[in-house]
């Protein structure tokens, strides 16, 4: 993990918004004219996933052949699951379902089991049970069910606790639990669900000893998670936000409303690859809307990104920190053709970023690389060098390890976005108005081959990081090479940086 984000909550859920094409007009948040029938100047709209306010109702009667689960019988769900064969359909009747009064009591599905909640069906952990659904069974489906008040430990999850593969979670409400509401296994699909008010994450996409592949997160509302404020309890833990991704290879994150989370909205941390993040609304998260860290190859497009990072950005600015804490923050992450994916770069395009604290920052920590004490992902190396102990002198000073032992912010293409900033809305006068591409001066450890300015020079001039054909409205500034180089648009476009060719700049914010 790189720079950590400490957080406190913003006010609760904001009014519905629409996701407009990045080249269209931008409606103000909460504007009554910005309803579901509003149109941009060039395309139609995509509605926000407001699933928490009115969840989809499940079947009022048990489907033919389903096993009925009685909420008046404590432990009925776990017992009937145990006594039924694989591929059974369970229908949870209306009311509050409870497990036995034991912290480890949980439902252990068999392969292919399906759980359907009737209208008003709730699985309640009673602030006693740690886990709702666990075990290694594949292809389990959970629909129309509310799961709440479980007390999973830090970094563990309530639903799919053991990260089994092939689970489908649809039209579910997973709320008010400790730890993560949901874990993830390979080929997991989470659709049209409400993940809110969980103590740590809405979802923790992590599987011990393995990667998570083929993940789909679509049409969900992911709101107000990290209620336990873990960065305050464990400063620098890097363990907060709406969704955290660890070593996920292949993810489609689309059509979600990610808002009001403490910490980042979406955080991909350490050796993630091949993400498509599109058609989302990322709004009013305390930290970055999107933090993509020590990871590879992504497409970030057609997102509406509003009023993020006010809490964290303001806090660091008030401390006098001049680092451009960003709304889209790429930290040691870039395109890598040698890592197989649907793209060989990070492409950020057709997004609307409106009244956030700063814009996009591309960053490399010169001291962070495999086998360095400054690598906070301890013991982990890049996807190009699996064994950290290979990255040491003298081998690290020459090809290929000199290049391959680093996570590099490279091959980032930022184009056709719309950046709007009205400082009177953000209520700031300095340090909230920046795009950046930079690194620190390498100093550590003493055997590092990356000391000095070489990483800063590479990320700025040599690693194919380009802004072009964007629209800027408002008093934007630009940072290149290191935090001390704050540029006006003309300097940014001129020699030696030559950024934002074909872009337009309007000093006054507008719609």
């Amino acid at each position: 993990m790189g720079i950590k984000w400490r957080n406190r909550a913003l006010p609760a859920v904001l009014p519905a918004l629409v996701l407009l094409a990045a080249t269209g007009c931008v409606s103000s948040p909460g504007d009554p004219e910005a309803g579901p029938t509003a149109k941009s100047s060039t395309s139609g709209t995509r509605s926000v996933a407001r699933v928490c306010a009115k969840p989809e109702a499940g079947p009022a009667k048990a489907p033919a052949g389903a096993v009925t689960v009685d909420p008046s019988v404590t432990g009925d769900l776990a017992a009937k699951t145990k006594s039924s064969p694989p591929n059974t359909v369970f229908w949870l009747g209306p009311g509050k379902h409870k497990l036995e009064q034991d912290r480890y009591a949980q439902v252990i599905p068999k392969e292919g089991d399906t759980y359907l909640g009737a209208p008003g069906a709730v699985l309640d952990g009673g602030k006693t049970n740690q886990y709702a659904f666990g075990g290694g069974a594949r292809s389990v489906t959970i629909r129309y069910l509310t799961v709440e008040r479980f007390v999973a430990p830090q970094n563990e999850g309530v639903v799919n606790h053991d990260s089994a593969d092939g689970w489908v979670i649809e039209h579910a409400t997973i709320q008010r639990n400790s730890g993560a509401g949901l874990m993830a296994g390979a080929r997991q699909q989470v659709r049209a669900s409400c993940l809110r008010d969980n103590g740590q994450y809405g979802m923790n996409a992590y599987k011990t000893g393995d990667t998570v592949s083929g993940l789909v997160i679509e049409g969900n509302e992911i709101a107000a998670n990290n209620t336990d404020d873990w960065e305050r309890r464990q400063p620098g833990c890097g363990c907060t936000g709406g969704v955290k991704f660890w070593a996920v290879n292949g993810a489609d994150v689309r059509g979600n409303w990610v808002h009001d989370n403490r910490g980042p909205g979406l955080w991909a941390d350490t050796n993630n690859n091949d993400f498509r993040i599109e058609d989302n609304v990322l709004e009013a998260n305390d930290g970055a809307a999107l933090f993509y860290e020590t990871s590879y190859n992504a497409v970030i497009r057609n997102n509406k990104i509003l009023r993020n990072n006010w809490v964290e950005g303001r806090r660091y600015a008030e401390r006098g920190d001049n680092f451009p804490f960003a709304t889209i923050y790429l930290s040691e992450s870039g395109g890598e053709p040698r890592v197989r994916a649907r793209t060989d770069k990070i492409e950020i395009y057709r997004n609307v970023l409106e009244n956030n604290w700063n814009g996009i920052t591309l960053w490399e920590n010169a001291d962070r690389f495999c086998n360095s004490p400054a690598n906070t992902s301890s013991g982990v190396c890049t996807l190009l060098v699996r064994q950290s102990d290979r990255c040491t002198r003298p081998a690290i000073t020459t090809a290929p390890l000199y290049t391959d032992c680093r996570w590099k912010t490279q091959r980032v293409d930022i184009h056709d976005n719309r950046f709007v900033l009205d400082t009177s809305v953000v209520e700031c006068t300095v340090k909230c108005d920046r795009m950046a591409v930079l690194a620190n001066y390498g100093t550590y450890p003493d055997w590092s081959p990356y000391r000095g300015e070489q990483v800063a020079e590479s990320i700025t001039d040599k690693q194919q990081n380009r802004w072009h054909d964007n629209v800027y409205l408002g008093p934007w500034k630009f940072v290149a090479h290191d935090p001390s180089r704050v540029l006006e648009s003309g300097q940014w476009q001129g020699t030696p940086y030559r950024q934002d060719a074909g872009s337009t700049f309007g000093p006054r914010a507008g719609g």
Side-chain angles (χ1 to χ4, degrees):
M1 290 146 287
I3 294 174
K4 301 299 181 283
W5 303 78
R6 302 180 179 90
N7 318 286
R8 64 179 175 82
L10 284 174
V13 176
L14 298 170
L17 299 170
V18 293
L19 181 62
L20 304 178
T23 55
C25 297
V26 181
S27 299
S28 298
D31 184 345
E33 297 298 320
T37 60
K39 298 288 183 179
S40 79
S41 60
T42 58
S43 72
T45 65
R46 299 177 188 271
S47 298
V48 159
R50 300 192 73 212
V51 295
C52 292
K54 192 174 181 180
E56 187 84 11
K61 296 181 179 180
V67 173
T68 297
V69 181
D70 187 349
S72 68
V73 179
T74 298
D76 197 39
L77 177 61
K80 287 179 175 174
T81 296
K82 185 176 182 179
S83 63
S84 299
N87 301 300
T88 297
V89 176
F90 300 90
W91 179 76
L92 285 72
K96 187 174 289 187
H97 297 255
K98 292 189 176 182
L99 303 174
E100 298 291 344
Q101 290 290 306
D102 181 279
R103 64 190 297 188
Y104 298 115
Q106 58 191 285
V107 182
I108 306 294
K110 297 183 175 72
E111 185 166 345
D113 282 350
T114 295
Y115 298 86
L116 303 176
V122 176
L123 181 58
D124 185 352
K127 295 294 183 182
T128 298
N129 307 119
Q130 291 188 345
Y131 317 119
F133 294 91
R138 295 180 292 183
S139 303
V140 172
T141 298
I142 299 170
R143 291 192 175 105
Y144 309 112
L145 182 63
T146 294
V147 179
E148 63 184 21
R149 302 204 314 146
F150 287 79
V151 286
Q154 182 189 13
N155 297 324
E156 297 185 39
V158 169
V159 175
N160 197 10
H161 167 257
D162 297 295
S163 301
D165 295 340
W167 284 40
V168 176
I169 294 91
E170 292 181 327
H171 304 294
T173 297
I174 303 173
Q175 63 183 9
R176 305 185 187 113
N177 303 288
S178 299
L182 177 64
M183 300 297 287
R187 303 177 305 285
Q188 181 160 297
Q189 300 176 38
V190 185
R191 290 192 167 97
S193 293
C194 171
L195 311 179
R196 69 175 173 187
D197 298 318
N198 294 291
Q200 189 175 7
Y201 307 116
M203 184 169 73
N204 186 12
Y206 170 76
K207 186 168 185 175
T208 303
D210 200 358
T211 59
V212 174
S213 60
L215 181 63
V216 175
I217 305 172
E218 182 174 23
N220 305 285
E221 185 173 349
I222 302 165
N225 294 290
N226 188 29
T227 59
D228 291 336
D229 201 359
W230 277 99
E231 285 287 350
R232 177 185 56 80
R233 297 170 66 176
Q234 293 183 4
C237 71
C239 59
T240 61
V243 180
K244 192 71 180 281
F245 304 89
W246 309 81
V248 173
N249 186 27
D252 290 289
V253 183
R254 55 180 176 252
N256 303 284
W257 187 18
V258 183
H259 64 96
D260 292 284
N261 296 284
R262 282 178 169 165
L266 304 173
W267 190 346
D269 184 355
T270 308
N271 285 343
N272 298 278
N273 175 52
D274 194 15
F275 273 52
R276 285 189 177 175
I277 301 170
E278 56 190 356
D279 301 323
N280 302 285
V281 174
L282 309 176
E283 177 184 10
N285 297 288
D286 280 13
L290 171 62
F291 191 179
Y292 206 68
E293 180 180 5
T294 54
S295 294
Y296 301 88
N297 300 325
V299 173
I300 303 163
R301 63 188 177 193
N302 298 332
N303 300 288
K304 187 78 176 289
I305 301 173
L306 307 170
R307 303 190 324 280
N308 294 279
N309 201 25
W310 287 15
V311 172
E312 297 305 325
R314 192 181 314 280
R315 180 173 299 171
Y316 283 103
E318 289 175 350
R319 294 175 181 173
D321 195 325
N322 67 343
F323 187 86
F325 292 96
T327 291
I328 297 179
Y329 182 21
L330 272 56
S331 177
E332 297 90 30
S333 293
E336 175 51 74
R338 291 174 292 171
V339 176
R340 185 176 180 180
R342 291 167 287 182
T343 181
D344 60 5
K345 58 186 176 180
I346 293 182
E347 190 171 15
I348 304 173
Y349 67 100
R350 292 204 307 262
N351 302 285
V352 174
L353 288 84
E354 181 175 322
N355 290 329
N356 301 283
W357 194 279
N358 290 319
I360 299 174
T361 290
L362 311 186
W363 161 255
E364 253 188 74
N365 180 348
D367 299 329
R368 185 180 191 182
F369 55 93
C370 300
N371 210 30
S372 168
N375 177 22
T376 52
S377 297
S378 302
V380 177
C381 201
T382 69
L383 293 180
L384 302 174
V385 182
R386 297 290 183 171
Q387 297 176 307
S388 289
D389 58 7
R390 294 181 59 203
C391 297
T392 189
R393 284 185 177 270
I396 196 174
T397 63
T398 58
L401 293 180
Y402 178 81
T403 295
D404 294 350
C405 288
R406 292 195 63 81
W407 291 273
K408 299 175 72 173
T409 304
Q410 63 180 7
R411 299 174 60 84
V412 181
D413 189 4
I414 302 167
H415 64 92
D416 294 288
N417 301 285
R418 186 177 181 90
F419 301 107
V420 179
L421 176 64
D422 185 339
T423 55
S424 69
V425 173
V426 182
E427 296 183 350
C428 76
T429 55
V430 295
K431 298 180 181 177
C432 65
D433 53 2
R434 300 182 181 184
M435 299 282 162
V437 52
L438 75 165
N440 58 324
Y441 188 92
T443 61
Y444 180 78
D446 58 8
W447 54 268
S448 169
Y450 312 110
R451 288 183 295 171
E453 295 187 350
Q454 56 186 303
V455 173
E457 291 169 354
S458 293
I459 189 175
T460 305
D461 301 324
K462 302 173 184 177
Q463 292 179 185
Q464 302 177 58
N465 297 315
R466 306 304 302 168
W467 280 255
H468 61 95
D469 298 296
N470 298 295
V471 174
Y472 294 88
L473 296 173
W476 289 97
K477 294 182 173 61
F478 303 87
V479 179
H481 189 276
D482 63 74
S484 68
R485 299 190 189 181
V486 181
L487 313 171
E488 300 296 333
S489 60
Q491 297 170 297
W492 176 246
Q493 288 185 299
T495 304
Y497 307 109
R498 298 183 299 278
Q499 292 288 1
D500 265 314
S503 297
T504 61
F505 300 83
R508 300 182 67 178

